[in-house]
Every structure is written in structure tokens, then in C-alpha cells.
Amino acid sequence: MSIIRFIKNWTLPVAIAVGSLVYLTFYWVPQLDTVGNIMGPVIDAVFPMAVFLTLFSTFCRVDFHQMKPHRWHVGVLVAQMLLVAINCWIVFLVDAVPEQKILWESVLTCIIGPTASASPVVTGKLGGNINTMTAFVVISSLTSAVMIPAVFPLLEHTAHVDFWSAFAMILEKVAIVLVLPLILGWLVQHYAKRLCQWIVSIPDLSFYLWSVSLCITSGVTVRNIVHSQATLTLLVMIAVLSLILCFVQFLVGRGIGRHLGEEINSGQALFQKNTALSIWVAYMYLNPVASVGAGCYVLWQNIINSLELWEYRRKNLDK
């Protein structure tokens, strides 16, 4: 029972550790190559399904009448745009030094990306408002879809990014991951109420489904780091800067929320990022090594999420 309790309390670090160790086991043991080749397509199919089910189960709990713009939405978007502008300025300053440019481009991918589609899951676990958070995820996705094709051509002159094609591609990815489960959740709430009640009755269903996605993401992150062509020094610098950025965005978001009414939501909205999309845009439009930043960020943000959940449990037990 103590093992089960430990796994329930520390689900996110356990998922990160399992995903990382499973990949490293297959990497270090050549005899498992055949099994790895078989499992690869299976994992590729399971990952989007796990993300879809995570969001669908979350949206079954959302009160769609409460999904309205909030003043903290504006505060977080302004903070994100300021951080993007500062980061772009630094990239221009170090443009003549390739490693420094890659380093700061990797940081940019962790700022310019939209709020994680699964952020309402953690927000709900922390006692936040999943309705306003869900609304912000949609707003944030649209904002990033505009910023990414507008900003990246300024940084990488070799990246021929047509604004409208990039905008459409990003929106397509967002629609598949976010809009479809949102629509399905609304339909189930209104036309399949028994199914909706059954889904809502399962404690922390979306949280544990999300941990499956995190397990797979962690394995992919470790793979990207292991196969990266960057020097060890650069990889360490990317990891350290992504950790610092994680805390910066978390604290700035919390500070904005403290003044505008929703501290938990605002903190999660600014710091919890859709790293899968960030990794994709780094591969598409920047130096592929820049994707390591988003890969490291996903590990740091979920360690912070775990500490938040631990602190929330501790406070509730003390009451």
C-alpha cells in the first residue's frame, strides 16, 4: 500500500523516470532492438490517443458557460509577449556566435509556445478554475499561432516561413489536439449525460491519462538529448537556462495572478507549456538542437508541478 500511495502522490516524477529509463534500457541493450522496432509504432499510436483522452475527460468536467475572457488572460499574454521580445533582442545580440544563438533560440521555444493543452488537469488538482484555464488555452494557442510565423523568420534568415501556411499548420495541430476533444466533451455533456457522469465519477482519470503521455514524452526527450549533435557544454547550458526560465515564468505568472484574481491559473498558464508543439516548431524553423530546450523544459515543469501538488496536499492535510 505504501508503494501505491507513493506512486499516487508522485505520479509525475514516476512517469518521467519510467519513460526515461525505458528508453535508456532499449538504447543500452542491443538485444532489445527487435522489440523496440515493434513497439515504436505502437507508442506513436498510443501517445496522441492518451493526449486526446486526457483532454476529453477534462472537458467533460468543464462548465462551458464559464469559459469567458478574464483580465488575468490579458496580463499573462502581455508578459509572454514581453519575454518573447526580450529573448529576440538577446538572439540579435549574439547572432554572430552560433552556439549562443542556438542557446537563446532554445529558450525562445519555451516562451513562445502556447499554454499546455493539459494545463487544466493540473490546475484542477491544485484547486484552480479549469473553466477560465480552458478558455485561456484556446486564446494562447491562437496567439502562438500568430507569433511563431511572425517572429521566427526574423531570427533565422534561412527559414522560409510563409506566414499563412505556418499559421494554418499550427492551427491544424491545435485543432486535432485541443478543439476535437473540446467539441466531443460538449456533446457528451449535452447528449450523453450518463456517459459524462460515469467519466466524471472516476477520480483523477484525466491526471493519470496525462501521466501516460508524460511517460512517453520523457522517453522522447531523452532520445533527443542522447542523439543531439550539440556539445556537452551547450546541452548543459540549455538545461540550466530552461530550468531558470521555468522558475521565471512560474513566478511572473503567479505575481500577475496575485494582482488579477487567479494566482494558480495565472501561474500555470504562463509556465506550463505545450512542449510538443515547441519541439516541432524548433525542428521546422530553427536549428534542431534548439528543440532540446523544450525537451528539458517539459522535465522541469513537471517536477515543479509535482512539488506544487505535494505542497497542496500538505496544506489540505494540515487543515
Side-chain angles (χ1 to χ4, degrees), residues 203-225:
D204 297 326
L205 174 62
S206 55
F207 183 71
Y208 294 120
L209 285 169
W210 178 47
S211 68
V212 174
S213 305
L214 177 59
C215 182
I216 298 171
T217 302
S218 300
V220 173
T221 298
V222 173
R223 182 195 65 189
N224 291 343
I225 293 172

Side-chain angles (χ1 to χ4, degrees), residues 16-272:
I16 291 171
V18 169
S20 302
L21 289 174
V22 167
Y23 173 76
L24 290 174
T25 300
F26 278 89
Y27 178 74
W28 283 327
V29 181
Q31 291 81 359
L32 296 176
D33 285 349
T34 303
V35 178
N37 292 333
I38 296 172
M39 291 301 296
V42 175
I43 291 173
D44 289 340
V46 168
F47 178 70
M49 183 61 67
V51 174
F52 186 94
L53 291 175
T54 298
L55 297 178
F56 167 63
S57 61
T58 301
F59 295 149
C60 285
R61 303 170 184 270
V62 169
D63 183 351
F64 288 90
H65 297 291
Q66 299 298 319
M67 282 183 57
K68 300 175 182 178
H70 194 282
R71 57 181 184 165
W72 70 263
H73 292 171
V74 178
V76 170
L77 287 177
V78 170
Q80 183 186 19
M81 290 177 187
L82 285 174
L83 288 171
V84 167
I86 292 169
N87 193 265
C88 288
W89 175 68
I90 295 174
V91 172
F92 288 133
L93 289 180
V94 300
D95 187 67
V97 186
E99 279 206 348
Q100 287 293 312
K101 185 177 182 181
I102 293 172
L103 173 64
W104 287 102
E105 283 183 346
S106 71
V107 173
L108 178 63
T109 63
C110 304
I111 301 173
I112 203 169
T115 299
S117 300
S119 58
V121 177
V122 176
T123 300
K125 290 278 287 182
L126 292 171
N129 188 326
I130 65 171
N131 303 314
T132 57
M133 176 59 84
T134 302
F136 183 76
V137 170
V138 177
I139 295 169
S140 174
S141 299
L142 293 172
T143 304
S144 291
V146 173
M147 281 198 296
I148 289 169
V151 169
F152 282 12
L154 301 175
L155 306 179
E156 287 289 340
H157 304 297
T158 56
H160 302 291
V161 183
D162 175 70
F163 178 86
W164 291 112
S165 61
F167 179 73
M169 288 176 70
I170 294 169
L171 279 189
E172 180 185 1
K173 288 183 173 292
V174 169
I176 294 172
V177 173
L178 179 64
V179 178
L180 285 181
L182 188 68
I183 293 172
L184 186 59
W186 183 87
L187 290 173
V188 168
Q189 277 194 25
H190 288 80
Y191 300 106
K193 294 184 178 180
R194 286 189 178 180
L195 174 60
C196 184
Q197 290 172 357
W198 177 73
I199 293 171
V200 171
S201 69
I202 302 174
D204 297 326
L205 174 62
S206 55
F207 183 71
Y208 294 120
L209 285 169
W210 178 47
S211 68
V212 174
S213 305
L214 177 59
C215 182
I216 298 171
T217 302
S218 300
V220 173
T221 298
V222 173
R223 182 195 65 189
N224 291 343
I225 293 172
V226 168
H227 292 284
S228 172
Q229 301 299 313
T231 63
L232 179 60
T233 302
L234 179 58
L235 291 176
V236 171
M237 290 175 67
I238 289 174
V240 171
L241 267 185
S242 64
L243 174 60
I244 294 171
L245 176 67
C246 213
F247 279 106
V248 168
Q249 294 194 120
F250 177 77
L251 294 174
V252 170
R254 282 287 180 124
I256 292 170
R258 201 172 295 121
H259 291 287
L260 298 180
E262 287 198 25
E263 184 176 355
I264 294 172
N265 285 53
S266 186
Q268 295 303 126
L270 188 58
F271 113 96
Q272 193 171 342

Side-chain angles (χ1 to χ4, degrees), residues 277-297:
L277 184 61
S278 297
I279 290 170
W280 174 74
V281 296
Y283 266 105
M284 285 290 292
Y285 305 124
L286 302 176
N287 190 305
V289 178
S291 66
V292 175
C296 293
Y297 193 92

